[in-house]
Structure formats: structure tokens, C-alpha cells
Amino acid sequence: MNILAELAGYIAGICTAICFLPQTLQTIKSKDVQDLSLASYIIYCTGMICWILYGIYLHSLQMILFNLISLGFAGTILYMIVKYKNAAGKISRQRK
Amino acid sequence: MNILAELAGYIAGICTAICFLPQTLQTIKSKDVQDLSLASYIIYCTGMICWILYGIYLHSLQMILFNLISLGFAGTILYMIVKYKNAAGKISRQRK
């Protein structure tokens, strides 16, 4: 049970770290952010920063590392949402 | 420091729990899933299931609860991605 639980913990950490890699690649390629929720990514990134701070307090290198990677991907998506939604807004206004 | 760190842990947990609430509401409303990555949500939900299992092992009610809420939202989004992407595929084939 102990090994299985530790394994679950590792898989969970790795999933958290890399879950937004496919979304990052897709959005870099398509530059389409229309269906992505800005609020969700703001909350997610805030959460990741808090997990990193909590990881520093607990001296947990794994917690810091996994959440730092996740913040990297989610932060990139957040940046693209702001960038491309503004760009789309400008195009929309120019057409009017 | 102790109280601040515990606070960071709580904020992190709450952010993890509710981060996909805005995305869920937006996608329920728009039914547009084109820009959402199926792979990202599969990995995210897998991670949440593993965190819940790890939380059960650690007897951490907070870990179980926060990740269960997050799984609820992310699972709903995952369901909508599969449902609406398939629907979009059918419409596209019918048009041909």
C-alpha cells in the first residue's frame, strides 16, 4: 500500500506539472484563445504561486519543482490569452 | 511565518478547487471547445484522481475535498470537450 500510495503521489505531481503542456503547444500553434477562460488561468496561477510558497515553507523540493513547471505552462497560456484577446479586440474595433 | 504559510496552503487549496469554475461556466454557455486541449484535461483529471488517492492514504480530508471539487469541474469540461468536438465533427462531415 505504501509503495502504491507513493506512486500515486508521484503520478499526481507529474500530471500537475505537465497537464498544461498540450494546451500551451496547441495555443502557441493556433493563437486562438477565444474559448479559454482568463479568470480560470488567473486563479490557477495564483494557486500555483501559493503552492510554491507552501512548498518553500515545508522544505518540499518536489512540491516547489512540480508547481513551478505547472506555473510556467499556465503562465504562458495566461500571457497568450491577454495578448491574443487584446489583439482580437483591436481587429474587431478596426472592422467597425 | 507559520500562520502565513498555513494561509498560503489554504489559498492554494481553494484556488485548485475552484480554478475551473469560470472555464466550466464559459464552456456550458458557449458550447465552444475548439481551443481547449483534450490531452490537457485528461492529464489534469488523472492527476486529480491520483491526488485524491494520495489524500486518502494521508488521511487528509482537505486534500481529498479540494481535489474532488476540482475533479468535478475539470471532469465536466472534459465531458463537454468530447461531446461537442464529436458533434462538431459530425456537422463537418455532414456538410461535405
Side-chain angles (χ1 to χ4, degrees), chain A residues 14-95:
Chain A
I14 291 165
C15 284
T16 296
I18 63 159
C19 65
F20 285 123
L21 171 62
Q23 182 69 66
T24 304
L25 294 176
Q26 181 176 323
T27 309
I28 285 173
K29 218 171 159 183
S30 73
K31 294 184 177 62
D32 285 329
V33 295
Q34 201 63 37
D35 305 338
L36 302 178
S37 165
L38 175 66
S40 277
Y41 282 93
I42 289 173
I43 298 169
Y44 188 85
C45 288
T46 307
M48 285 301 112
I49 292 166
C50 289
W51 279 130
I52 292 163
L53 293 175
Y54 196 55
I56 292 168
Y57 168 70
L58 295 178
H59 300 285
S60 166
L61 190 65
Q62 289 156 6
M63 198 183 235
I64 297 166
L65 195 71
F66 285 146
N67 289 305
L68 204 60
I69 295 168
S70 194
L71 179 64
F73 290 126
T76 305
I77 297 167
L78 182 59
Y79 169 75
M80 288 191 287
I81 292 174
V82 173
K83 189 182 170 188
Y84 297 133
K85 273 204 174 154
N86 278 346
K90 274 181 196 164
I91 291 165
S92 164
R93 279 194 297 278
Q94 279 171 358
R95 279 182 185 162

Side-chain angles (χ1 to χ4, degrees), chain A residues 2 5-6 8-9 11-13 15-16 19-20 22-23 26 32-37 39-40 43-44 47 50-51 54 57, chain B residues 2 5-6 8-9 11-13 15-16 19-20 22-23 26 32-37 39-40 43-44 46-47 50-51 54 57:
Chain A
N2 203 324
E6 292 297 326
I11 295 170
C15 284
T16 296
C19 65
F20 285 123
Q23 182 69 66
Q26 181 176 323
D32 285 329
V33 295
Q34 201 63 37
D35 305 338
L36 302 178
S37 165
S40 277
I43 298 169
Y44 188 85
C50 289
W51 279 130
Y54 196 55
Y57 168 70
Chain B
N2 203 327
E6 291 298 325
I11 294 171
C15 285
T16 296
C19 65
F20 285 123
Q23 182 69 65
Q26 181 175 324
D32 285 329
V33 296
Q34 202 63 37
D35 306 338
L36 302 178
S37 165
S40 276
I43 298 170
Y44 188 85
T46 306
C50 289
W51 280 128
Y54 196 56
Y57 168 70

Side-chain angles (χ1 to χ4, degrees), chain B:
Chain B
M1 181 57 197
N2 203 327
I3 294 167
L4 279 179
E6 291 298 325
L7 187 70
Y10 265 96
I11 294 171
I14 291 165
C15 285
T16 296
I18 63 159
C19 65
F20 285 123
L21 172 60
Q23 182 69 65
T24 304
L25 295 176
Q26 181 175 324
T27 310
I28 284 173
K29 217 172 161 184
S30 72
K31 294 183 177 64
D32 285 329
V33 296
Q34 202 63 37
D35 306 338
L36 302 178
S37 165
L38 176 65
S40 276
Y41 282 92
I42 290 173
I43 298 170
Y44 188 85
C45 288
T46 306
M48 285 301 112
I49 293 166
C50 289
W51 280 128
I52 292 163
L53 292 175
Y54 196 56
I56 292 169
Y57 168 70
L58 295 178
H59 300 283
S60 166
L61 190 65
Q62 290 157 4
M63 198 183 235
I64 297 165
L65 195 71
F66 286 146
N67 289 304
L68 204 60
I69 295 168
S70 193
L71 180 63
F73 290 126
T76 305
I77 297 167
L78 181 59
Y79 170 75
M80 287 191 287
I81 293 174
V82 173
K83 190 181 169 189
Y84 297 133
K85 273 207 176 155
N86 279 345
K90 274 180 194 165
I91 291 165
S92 164
R93 279 196 297 277
Q94 281 170 356
R95 280 184 184 161
K96 279 178 188 169

